[in-house]
Amino acid sequence: MSIQLINADALEYLPTLEAGSVNLIFADPPYNLSGQGFLTCRGGKPVTCNKGAWDQIEDLHAFNLAWIRECVRVLADDGTLWISGTLHNHPSIGMAIKELGLWIINDLIWYKPNATPLLSANRLAPATEVIWVASKTKRYYFDYKMAKKLNGGKQMRNLWVLPAEKHRTPHPAEKPESLLTRILLIASREGDLVLDPFMGSGTTGVAAKRLRRRFIGVEIDPDYYAIASQRIRGAGEADLPEYAQGEQARLW
Ligand SMILES: C[S@@+](CC[C@H](N)C(=O)[O-])C[C@H]1O[C@@H](n2cnc3c(N)ncnc32)[C@H](O)[C@@H]1O
């Protein structure tokens, strides 16, 4: 299966892709939570949240509109776009996908039962992320049977309880492999083209390679690009969780 990893700015690279050529887009963009005075917990102590310069964007909504517009252009008519966020960026993402005329399929809530505890006593401890699921038309690919199967035979709901996993790389925002495996199984077929415009440590690429999807991953930071390249190179089908192995994954 073709795996293309690109060390570039997604805003410059996406316009080079053919219109309508991508079946599934998973985007985990900068949340813009660094440098805003938000606190997180490290080694049991409160520290200012700072994920890096990539997570500080002056005009967040203009940025979101620009890259989502390009995603809409490259997405196939029956493809879906999945975008993760927290309270820091998801109002803008929600507005952008409405402004760009997308059909909102779901607001999926990912609940992390083992989320980092909150050290201040002035709010509820954040333990969720929102993943917007949207499409260009109402005829989009969605494997309902697969979702049901992954949920032990019961209809899958829009609340996913998946523990945050121990990071495999030094990237500060690595997503769990279980989350990406589930999304790819539900929203793409073997051989489909999956795009991640903010690849980070390469989690989407790992899931795509294991599930035999084609993959394009774009990452602006050369160090993260190198981390993702090495990680995806080392990924193999044998590492798939049991539920996604063998004939079932091929048939679904
Ligand atoms: C939230 S992280 C993605 C983490 C990823 N899902 C993972 O599992 O590792 C966002 C990534 O987007 C990258 N990035 C930020 N702006 C970008 C841009 N304009 N083009 C491409 N990558 C960008 C950052 O360097 C960062 O690695």
Side-chain angles (χ1 to χ4, degrees):
M1 286 295 164
S2 148
I3 305 269
Q4 289 180 62
L5 307 183
I6 317 287
N7 183 200
D9 183 337
L11 288 172
E12 287 170 16
Y13 177 74
L14 293 178
T16 70
L17 289 178
E18 196 185 323
S21 59
V22 175
N23 305 101
L24 165 65
I25 301 174
F26 173 78
D28 183 15
Y31 289 8
N32 217 28
L33 54 82
S34 301
Q36 316 266 352
F38 292 109
L39 294 179
T40 187
C41 169
R42 200 161 304 133
K45 295 204 171 67
V47 290
T48 310
C49 184
N50 185 6
K51 295 193 180 284
W54 60 265
D55 192 41
Q56 298 182 34
I57 293 168
E58 215 162 286
D59 188 340
L60 183 67
H61 195 59
F63 171 74
N64 285 334
L65 274 172
W67 70 262
I68 297 173
R69 183 176 285 116
E70 270 309 303
C71 285
V72 173
R73 190 187 63 79
V74 302
L75 191 65
D77 283 347
D78 70 344
T80 52
L81 171 59
W82 300 56
I83 308 175
S84 64
T86 54
L87 60 89
H88 315 88
N89 72 334
H90 78 65
S92 161
I93 301 287
M95 280 293 292
I97 58 184
K98 288 295 272 184
E99 282 170 48
L100 294 170
L102 291 175
W103 170 250
I104 300 180
I105 300 166
N106 273 125
D107 54 341
L108 169 60
I109 309 297
W110 167 34
Y111 168 56
K112 301 171 240 189
N114 57 346
T116 311
L118 183 70
L119 295 182
S120 57
N122 61 354
R123 66 183 67 197
L124 304 173
T128 57
E129 294 196 22
V130 173
I131 300 177
W132 293 101
V133 188
S135 60
K136 287 162 81 163
T137 69
K138 290 188 185 173
R139 291 174 66 85
Y140 52 86
Y141 179 77
F142 176 82
D143 194 336
Y144 176 85
K145 279 193 195 150
M146 169 57 110
K148 195 168 171 182
K149 200 132 202 165
L150 293 174
N151 197 38
K154 286 194 283 200
Q155 187 169 64
M156 187 176 273
R157 294 191 166 156
N158 73 335
L159 174 69
W160 289 6
V161 182
L162 295 172
E165 293 171 5
K166 191 172 175 328
H167 281 201
R168 293 163 170 85
T169 72
H171 196 290
E174 190 186 305
K175 284 276 183 285
E177 292 183 356
S178 58
L179 180 73
L180 270 305
T181 302
R182 187 182 270 202
I183 292 172
L184 264 63
L185 282 171
I186 292 173
S188 66
R189 297 147 283 214
E190 190 177 329
D192 273 359
L193 180 56
V194 176
L195 166 70
D196 184 339
F198 304 101
M199 170 171 68
S201 67
T203 315
T204 311
V206 167
K209 189 172 174 196
R210 288 181 183 157
L211 292 168
R212 294 185 295 274
R213 271 67 167 159
R214 292 174 294 137
F215 179 67
I216 298 177
V218 190
E219 171 55 50
I220 200 167
D221 183 293
D223 293 336
Y224 294 150
Y225 169 79
I227 287 171
S229 304
Q230 192 184 14
R231 182 172 173 214
I232 294 169
R233 208 173 305 123
E237 197 191 333
D239 309 321
L240 267 180
E242 208 178 311
Y243 63 76
Q245 276 179 18
E247 202 179 346
Q248 288 182 336
R250 268 190 287 282
L251 287 176
W252 296 336

